[in-house]
Amino acid sequence: MANTAIWSLGASLLFFFVSASFLQKDLQTERELLENTVEEQNLVTDDVMVVEGEVATISCRVKNNDDSVIQLLNPNRQTIYFRDFRPLKDSRFQLVNFSNSELRVLFSNVSLLDEGRYFCQLYTDPPQEVFSTITVLVPPTSLLIDVRDETVTEGEEAELNCTAIGSKPATKIRWFKGDKELQGKKLSEVVEGKTVTVTSQLLMTVHSDDDGVPITCMADHPAAKDLQEQRPLNVLYKPKVKISVNFPQGLTREGEAFEMTCTAEGKPRNVAVHWLRLEDELPAHILLEGPNLLINNLNKTDNGTYRCLASNSVGESYDDYTLRVYDPPTTIPPPTTTTTIIPTITTTTTTIIIISPDSRAGEDDTMKVDHAVIGGVVAVVVFAMLCLVIILGRYFARHKGTYFTHEAKGADDAADADTAIINAEGGQNNSEEKKEYFI
C-alpha cells in the first residue's frame, strides 16, 4: 500500500512538472510572437525645419500596420488628430492623408511659438511613440549700414558698420566692394529671447579709385535670400593731371603753331590750373586760355619743360611736357658726278652733299648720314677701281710681244761676207734713224 502510494505521488509530481514546462514554453513562444509583431510595426517620422510664416508638413508613417490607431499630439500633449478626427480646434492644421500606413498633416503659418516636439503615437501592445522636432527659422527683420564719416579723404581709413536685427539662428554678415569680397569682423552679438542681433564692422583704407564704388553688406542666413544693403563711398582726392598735345602731330618745327591741353580731375571738382616753365619764365608770346597753352609761331627759344600744376582743397599734383623745336624741313639735292678723262685712263669722282634734315637749338648735333648714301659711295668707288684695273690690263696686253734688232739686216740678201758687212753697216745707220721706246 505504502509503495503504491509513493509511486502514485511520484507520477503525479512528474506530470505536474512536465505540464508546467510545456506551459512555460507556450507562454514564451506567444510573447516572442507578440514582440516580433510589434517590431514589424515600425513607427517613424522626420524632423522639420520651416521658415517663420510658412507651412510645415508632419508625417507619421507605420510599416505593416494591423489597423492600430495613429494619433498626433502637440508639444503640450494635446491631441491634434486621432485617426482622421481633429479634436484640437486649430484651423492651421489640415489633414492631407490618412490611411493604415500614414497620418500626414499640414501646419500653416508657423510661428516661433510653435517650435518644439510633436508626437506620433501608435496604439499597439505596448504602445509606440516617436517625435518630430519642428525648428523655426527667423530671417533678419532688417539690415542696416552705418558709416562713421560721410566723406573720407584718400589715404584715410573708412569705417562701416552693418547690423542684422532679430534673426534665428544668428546671421553671418559678409562685405563686398564691387565684386570683391572683403574681410570684416564681428563687433557684437545680442540675444533677445530666441532671436539674435549681430553687428559687423569693416575698416578699409580708401583711394581715389574707390570714389563712388558701392560697399555691400550681405546677410548670409538659411531663411534669407538676396538680403543686402549698399552704401557708395564718397572719397575726396587731389587732382589727377595729364597733358595732351592738340597739334601738330609729330615733330614740332620752327614757324609752326603748337597747342597743348591740361586735363585735371579731382574731388572737390573746383580745380585750379596753372602753367609754368621749369628753370625759366614763360615766353611772352605764349597764349594761355584756361587749361590750354598756345604758341602761334614756334622758335628755338621755346624749348624747355612745361608743367601744368593743378590743385584743390585736398592737395596739388602736376604733369610735365618737354618741348623740343626742330629746324624747318629741307630738301636733299641729288648726288652730282664729275668725270675727268685722261688718255688710256678714266677716273670718276663722285661728290655727294649731305645735309642734316634737322638740328635742335642749343645742341651740337652730329651730322647723320643715311646708310643708303654711304653704300652708294662705296659702290661707286669700287666700280671705278674695277674699271681702272680692266683698262690697264688691256693696255699692257696690247704691247706685249717679241722684239727684233736690225744688226743683221741685209745679210740675208748678200752674195759674200764683204757685201754682208757693208749691208749691215748701212743697216746700222738706218737703225740710228729709227729708235724704239719702251714703256
Coordinates of all heavy atoms in Angstrom, one line a residue, residues 160-200:
L160 N 32.7 101.3 -41.6 CA 31.3 101.0 -41.8 C 30.8 99.9 -40.9 O 31.6 98.9 -40.7 CB 31.1 100.5 -43.3 CG 31.4 101.5 -44.4 CD1 32.9 101.4 -44.9 CD2 30.5 101.4 -45.6
N161 N 29.6 100.0 -40.4 CA 29.0 99.0 -39.5 C 27.7 98.5 -40.1 O 26.9 99.3 -40.6 CB 28.7 99.6 -38.1 CG 30.0 100.0 -37.4 OD1 31.0 99.3 -37.5 ND2 30.0 101.2 -36.8
C162 N 27.5 97.2 -40.1 CA 26.3 96.6 -40.6 C 25.6 95.8 -39.5 O 26.3 94.9 -38.9 CB 26.6 95.7 -41.8 SG 25.2 95.0 -42.6
T163 N 24.3 96.0 -39.3 CA 23.6 95.3 -38.3 C 22.4 94.5 -38.9 O 21.6 95.0 -39.6 CB 23.0 96.3 -37.3 OG1 24.1 97.1 -36.7 CG2 22.4 95.6 -36.1
A164 N 22.4 93.2 -38.5 CA 21.3 92.3 -38.9 C 20.4 92.1 -37.6 O 20.9 91.5 -36.6 CB 21.8 91.0 -39.4
I165 N 19.2 92.6 -37.6 CA 18.3 92.6 -36.5 C 17.4 91.4 -36.4 O 16.7 91.1 -37.4 CB 17.5 93.9 -36.4 CG1 18.4 95.1 -36.5 CG2 16.6 94.0 -35.2 CD1 17.7 96.5 -36.6
G166 N 17.4 90.8 -35.2 CA 16.4 89.7 -34.9 C 16.3 88.5 -35.8 O 15.3 88.3 -36.5
S167 N 17.3 87.7 -35.8 CA 17.3 86.5 -36.7 C 17.5 85.3 -35.8 O 18.0 85.3 -34.7 CB 18.4 86.6 -37.7 OG 19.7 86.6 -37.2
K168 N 17.1 84.1 -36.4 CA 17.4 82.8 -35.7 C 17.6 81.8 -36.8 O 16.8 81.6 -37.7 CB 16.1 82.4 -34.9 CG 16.3 81.1 -34.2 CD 15.0 80.7 -33.4 CE 15.2 79.3 -32.8 NZ 15.3 78.3 -33.8
P169 N 18.8 81.2 -36.8 CA 20.0 81.4 -35.9 C 20.6 82.8 -36.3 O 20.1 83.5 -37.1 CB 20.9 80.2 -36.2 CG 20.5 79.9 -37.7 CD 19.1 80.2 -37.8
A170 N 21.8 83.0 -35.6 CA 22.5 84.3 -35.8 C 22.9 84.4 -37.3 O 23.4 83.5 -37.9 CB 23.7 84.4 -34.9
T171 N 22.8 85.6 -37.8 CA 23.2 85.9 -39.2 C 24.7 86.1 -39.3 O 25.3 86.8 -38.5 CB 22.4 87.2 -39.7 OG1 21.0 87.0 -39.6 CG2 22.8 87.5 -41.2
K172 N 25.2 85.5 -40.4 CA 26.6 85.8 -40.8 C 26.6 86.9 -41.8 O 26.0 86.9 -42.8 CB 27.3 84.6 -41.4 CG 28.7 84.8 -41.8 CD 29.3 83.5 -42.4 CE 30.7 83.8 -42.9 NZ 31.3 82.6 -43.5
I173 N 27.4 88.0 -41.5 CA 27.4 89.2 -42.4 C 28.7 89.1 -43.2 O 29.8 88.9 -42.7 CB 27.4 90.5 -41.5 CG1 26.1 90.5 -40.8 CG2 27.6 91.7 -42.4 CD1 25.9 91.7 -39.9
R174 N 28.5 89.3 -44.5 CA 29.6 89.4 -45.5 C 29.7 90.7 -46.1 O 28.7 91.4 -46.4 CB 29.5 88.3 -46.5 CG 29.4 86.9 -46.0 CD 28.9 85.9 -47.0 NE 29.9 85.7 -48.1 CZ 29.7 85.0 -49.2 NH1 28.5 84.4 -49.4 NH2 30.6 84.9 -50.1
W175 N 31.0 91.2 -46.4 CA 31.2 92.5 -47.0 C 31.8 92.4 -48.4 O 32.6 91.5 -48.7 CB 32.2 93.3 -46.2 CG 31.7 93.7 -44.8 CD1 31.9 93.1 -43.6 CD2 30.9 94.9 -44.5 NE1 31.3 93.8 -42.6 CE2 30.7 94.9 -43.1 CE3 30.4 95.9 -45.3 CZ2 30.0 95.9 -42.5 CZ3 29.7 96.9 -44.7 CH2 29.5 96.9 -43.3
F176 N 31.3 93.3 -49.3 CA 31.8 93.3 -50.7 C 32.1 94.7 -51.1 O 31.3 95.7 -50.8 CB 30.8 92.7 -51.7 CG 30.6 91.2 -51.5 CD1 29.7 90.7 -50.6 CD2 31.4 90.3 -52.2 CE1 29.5 89.4 -50.4 CE2 31.2 88.9 -52.1 CZ 30.2 88.5 -51.1
K177 N 33.2 94.9 -51.9 CA 33.5 96.2 -52.6 C 33.4 95.9 -54.0 O 34.3 95.3 -54.6 CB 34.9 96.7 -52.2 CG 35.2 98.1 -52.8 CD 36.5 98.7 -52.4 CE 37.6 98.0 -53.2 NZ 38.9 98.6 -53.0
G178 N 32.3 96.3 -54.7 CA 32.1 95.9 -56.0 C 31.8 94.4 -56.0 O 30.9 93.9 -55.4
D179 N 32.6 93.7 -56.8 CA 32.5 92.2 -56.9 C 33.5 91.5 -56.0 O 33.6 90.3 -55.9 CB 32.7 91.7 -58.3 CG 31.6 92.2 -59.2 OD1 30.5 92.5 -58.7 OD2 31.8 92.4 -60.4
K180 N 34.4 92.3 -55.3 CA 35.4 91.7 -54.5 C 35.0 91.6 -53.0 O 34.6 92.6 -52.4 CB 36.7 92.5 -54.6 CG 37.9 92.0 -53.8 CD 39.1 92.9 -53.9 CE 40.3 92.4 -53.1 NZ 41.4 93.3 -53.2
E181 N 35.1 90.4 -52.4 CA 34.8 90.2 -51.0 C 35.9 90.7 -50.1 O 37.0 90.5 -50.3 CB 34.4 88.8 -50.7 CG 33.9 88.5 -49.3 CD 33.3 87.1 -49.1 OE1 33.4 86.3 -50.1 OE2 32.8 86.8 -48.0
L182 N 35.4 91.4 -49.1 CA 36.4 92.0 -48.1 C 36.2 91.3 -46.7 O 35.1 90.7 -46.5 CB 36.1 93.5 -47.9 CG 36.2 94.4 -49.1 CD1 35.9 95.8 -48.8 CD2 37.6 94.3 -49.8
Q183 N 37.2 91.4 -45.9 CA 37.1 90.7 -44.6 C 36.7 91.7 -43.5 O 37.4 92.7 -43.2 CB 38.5 90.1 -44.3 CG 38.5 89.3 -43.0 CD 37.6 88.0 -43.1 OE1 37.6 87.4 -44.2 NE2 36.9 87.7 -42.1
G184 N 35.5 91.5 -42.9 CA 35.1 92.3 -41.8 C 35.3 91.5 -40.5 O 35.8 90.4 -40.5
K185 N 34.8 92.1 -39.4 CA 34.9 91.4 -38.1 C 33.6 91.6 -37.3 O 32.9 92.6 -37.4 CB 36.1 92.0 -37.3 CG 36.0 93.4 -36.9 CD 37.2 93.8 -36.0 CE 37.0 95.3 -35.5 NZ 38.1 95.7 -34.6
K186 N 33.3 90.6 -36.5 CA 32.0 90.6 -35.7 C 32.3 91.6 -34.5 O 33.2 91.4 -33.7 CB 31.7 89.3 -35.2 CG 30.3 89.2 -34.4 CD 30.1 87.8 -33.9 CE 29.8 86.8 -35.0 NZ 29.4 85.5 -34.4
L187 N 31.4 92.6 -34.5 CA 31.5 93.6 -33.4 C 30.7 93.3 -32.2 O 31.2 93.5 -31.1 CB 31.1 95.0 -34.0 CG 31.5 96.2 -33.2 CD1 33.0 96.3 -33.1 CD2 30.9 97.5 -33.8
S188 N 29.5 92.7 -32.4 CA 28.6 92.4 -31.2 C 27.6 91.4 -31.7 O 27.3 91.2 -32.8 CB 28.0 93.6 -30.7 OG 27.0 94.2 -31.6
E189 N 27.1 90.7 -30.7 CA 26.0 89.7 -30.9 C 25.1 89.7 -29.7 O 25.5 89.3 -28.6 CB 26.6 88.3 -31.1 CG 25.6 87.2 -31.5 CD 26.2 85.9 -31.8 OE1 27.1 85.9 -32.7 OE2 25.8 84.9 -31.2
V190 N 23.9 90.2 -29.8 CA 22.9 90.4 -28.7 C 21.8 89.4 -28.9 O 21.1 89.4 -29.9 CB 22.4 91.9 -28.7 CG1 21.4 92.0 -27.5 CG2 23.6 92.8 -28.6
V191 N 21.5 88.6 -27.8 CA 20.4 87.6 -27.8 C 19.2 88.3 -27.2 O 19.2 88.9 -26.1 CB 20.8 86.4 -27.0 CG1 19.7 85.4 -26.9 CG2 22.1 85.7 -27.6
E192 N 18.1 88.2 -27.9 CA 16.8 88.8 -27.5 C 15.8 87.7 -27.6 O 15.1 87.5 -28.6 CB 16.4 90.0 -28.3 CG 17.4 91.1 -28.3 CD 17.1 92.2 -29.3 OE1 16.3 92.0 -30.2 OE2 17.8 93.3 -29.2
G193 N 15.6 86.9 -26.4 CA 14.7 85.8 -26.5 C 15.3 84.7 -27.3 O 16.3 84.2 -27.0
K194 N 14.6 84.3 -28.4 CA 15.1 83.3 -29.3 C 15.8 83.8 -30.5 O 16.3 83.1 -31.3 CB 13.9 82.4 -29.7 CG 13.3 81.5 -28.6 CD 12.3 80.5 -29.2 CE 11.8 79.6 -28.1 NZ 10.8 78.6 -28.6
T195 N 15.8 85.1 -30.6 CA 16.5 85.8 -31.8 C 17.8 86.4 -31.4 O 18.0 86.7 -30.2 CB 15.6 86.8 -32.5 OG1 15.2 87.8 -31.5 CG2 14.3 86.1 -33.0
V196 N 18.6 86.7 -32.4 CA 19.9 87.3 -32.1 C 20.1 88.5 -33.1 O 19.8 88.4 -34.3 CB 21.1 86.3 -32.4 CG1 22.4 86.9 -32.1 CG2 20.8 85.0 -31.5
T197 N 20.7 89.6 -32.6 CA 21.0 90.8 -33.4 C 22.6 90.8 -33.5 O 23.3 90.8 -32.4 CB 20.5 92.1 -32.7 OG1 19.1 92.0 -32.7 CG2 20.9 93.3 -33.6
V198 N 23.1 90.8 -34.7 CA 24.5 90.8 -35.0 C 25.0 92.1 -35.7 O 24.3 92.6 -36.6 CB 24.9 89.6 -35.9 CG1 26.4 89.5 -36.1 CG2 24.4 88.3 -35.2
T199 N 26.1 92.6 -35.2 CA 26.7 93.8 -35.8 C 28.2 93.4 -36.3 O 28.9 92.8 -35.5 CB 26.8 94.9 -34.9 OG1 25.4 95.3 -34.5 CG2 27.4 96.2 -35.5
S200 N 28.5 93.8 -37.6 CA 29.8 93.5 -38.1 C 30.4 94.8 -38.5 O 29.7 95.8 -38.9 CB 29.7 92.6 -39.3 OG 31.0 92.4 -39.9

